[in-house]
Amino acid sequence: MKKNMHNLVFLLCLVLFFGAFDTGVAYFGEEVWPYDINDYEATRVAHPEEVWDRVFFGNSAVISAYRENLSEAGYVNLGMDYAVVRDLWELLDEGYLKVGSELVVGLNLFALYDDLPTNPSYIWHRGRLEPYVYFHRDKLLRIAEGIQKLRDGQTIRYRGKGIDSGMMTDEELAEKVASYEENYFCLPIEDFQENIEALDKIADWCEDHGVRMRVLWMPFNPDVERPELLLELMQIVNDWCAQRGITVGDYSGQFERSCFLDVGHLNDEVGAARFTEVIDPWLLG
């Protein structure tokens, strides 16, 4: 009986130790090792405060377009690779994002596509009972490899959010458009319903928390004909916004070709600064 009690105490201590270790890694991981982090984690490193008063959410189109350092509006750029509207709802619902007063949702076709491949390392994809260490097992292995590189005197570059430089040639742009036409522009509207419905949940959350929600249509290259699918999605969302009393900003057709890397990403040389300058009065409105 006494031996069984000792075993039980030992197991309990082991569970408590691993629980504390897992919690510590989850809490301090990005702060002590900001070299291999996803876009959500990179935003957290840049903005460690618990509540972000003003947030500009979207996918990589938002990353490439909005420059916090050039803006007077004071929004956190929560652009993330492969992010969709449903990700924003999960962030809010699970408490990974707390907004103080303003939320702008940057939209394009891909931010509304239900089956868009995601980044599996985003924390809201972690199961409720799944340990942090197990969820990030591949990342922790790369951290161990990185520590060994540092011990060997090698340099590791900080991996923050990517920015887009340059401008595609006509041939490159045509190839990109052909790929989009084959894989995305031909999709049925039914493939976008989950994210459209998530907008409703986000609007309810904003009403409950005293946050003003607005929708912004991200820029689209003027040398590319906008697909009927995008126009249909814009109409559906705009009608929904009108019913909910949500302001819509349409900046999809306001920028010239020289601002773009490709179809929907603005370049760093011209587009990002131009977008931030144009959008700031609207953000401050």
Side-chain angles (χ1 to χ4, degrees), residues 81-84 86-87 114-122 124-125:
D81 267 346
Y82 302 105
V84 295
R86 192 171 57 241
D87 290 315
D114 294 341
D115 294 326
L116 188 75
T118 187
N119 184 335
S121 73
Y122 288 143
W124 51 96
H125 297 315

Side-chain angles (χ1 to χ4, degrees), residues 80-97:
M80 303 181 294
D81 267 346
Y82 302 105
V84 295
V85 172
R86 192 171 57 241
D87 290 315
L88 175 57
W89 165 241
E90 292 179 10
L91 278 166
L92 294 169
D93 185 48
E94 297 181 25
Y96 294 115
L97 172 62

Side-chain angles (χ1 to χ4, degrees), residues 57-231:
F57 170 86
N59 55 23
S60 55
V62 171
I63 298 177
S64 69
Y66 181 62
R67 289 288 175 268
E68 293 180 11
N69 62 318
L70 301 178
S71 173
E72 297 181 2
Y75 278 73
V76 172
N77 184 331
L78 189 55
M80 303 181 294
D81 267 346
Y82 302 105
V84 295
V85 172
R86 192 171 57 241
D87 290 315
L88 175 57
W89 165 241
E90 292 179 10
L91 278 166
L92 294 169
D93 185 48
E94 297 181 25
Y96 294 115
L97 172 62
K98 296 179 181 178
V99 184
S101 65
E102 300 275 350
L103 175 63
V104 171
V105 183
L107 294 181
N108 56 21
L109 184 148
F110 296 99
L112 292 167
Y113 179 37
D114 294 341
D115 294 326
L116 188 75
T118 187
N119 184 335
S121 73
Y122 288 143
I123 189 64
W124 51 96
H125 297 315
R126 171 188 172 196
R128 293 191 180 277
L129 298 179
E130 185 177 7
Y132 183 93
V133 170
Y134 179 78
F135 177 72
H136 278 308
R137 56 195 180 279
D138 294 334
K139 176 179 176 179
L140 292 173
L141 177 61
R142 291 193 298 272
I143 288 176
E145 294 171 349
I147 292 173
Q148 185 59 50
K149 288 182 179 180
L150 291 176
R151 292 180 62 185
D152 293 341
Q154 300 180 42
T155 300
I156 300 178
R157 294 180 60 189
Y158 167 71
R159 179 176 166 254
K161 292 185 178 183
I163 54 176
D164 297 306
S165 300
M167 186 177 78
M168 284 186 172
T169 65
D170 291 344
E171 293 76 15
E172 291 170 334
L173 183 61
E175 184 177 346
K176 173 70 77 171
V177 171
S179 173
Y180 282 178
E181 288 175 341
E182 180 181 356
N183 296 293
Y184 301 108
F185 293 171
C186 59
L187 293 169
I189 199 70
E190 288 76 20
D191 286 352
F192 299 81
Q193 295 307 306
E194 290 182 15
N195 280 294
I196 291 173
E197 291 171 3
L199 284 170
D200 225 28
K201 298 176 182 179
I202 294 165
D204 289 342
W205 185 95
C206 287
E207 287 183 0
D208 292 342
H209 291 80
V211 173
R212 179 172 68 151
M213 174 183 174
R214 289 183 286 173
V215 165
L216 185 147
W217 289 105
M218 297 302 294
F220 195 89
N221 194 317
D223 282 9
V224 179
E225 183 178 358
R226 280 190 277 185
E228 288 297 322
L229 174 60
L230 175 59
L231 297 176

